[in-house]
Amino acid sequence: MELPKFILGDNTDYPNAIFIIHTEFPRFIINLENDEVEWFEEFDQHDEKELETETENYIQQATDFYDREIARYDD
């Protein structure tokens, strides 16, 4: 099965949270309510340094995906 790069998720236990799941490496979930990120990967010290520089880009991509999805609901 081919998964989309981003998936929008919600959960009634977290009524104000908006979750975006990133399915490609590095896999993570971001809660757009508070920008908390949960990584599904294990990183070594070298990876962590690169990840620090890319995290802002990943968050922006997730936010752009959310904005695009919401705009499609409004149409």
Side-chain angles (χ1 to χ4, degrees), residues 28-64:
F28 65 88
I29 294 178
I30 182 170
N31 180 348
L32 294 181
E33 176 189 25
N34 55 21
D35 290 337
E36 285 186 34
V37 177
E38 180 71 30
W39 301 97
F40 292 121
E41 313 292 350
E42 295 289 325
F43 301 107
D44 63 22
Q45 197 170 26
H46 177 267
D47 291 335
E48 286 181 13
K49 193 164 193 94
E50 183 177 330
L51 188 62
E52 286 177 14
T53 61
E54 291 297 319
T55 298
E56 186 176 327
N57 186 38
Y58 293 132
I59 291 171
Q60 185 60 53
Q61 288 178 19
T63 302
D64 291 346

Side-chain angles (χ1 to χ4, degrees), residues 11-27:
N11 186 302
T12 56
D13 291 335
Y14 303 90
N16 297 321
I18 300 167
F19 298 103
I20 305 294
I21 301 101
H22 183 256
T23 63
E24 297 176 358
F25 185 84
R27 296 171 300 155

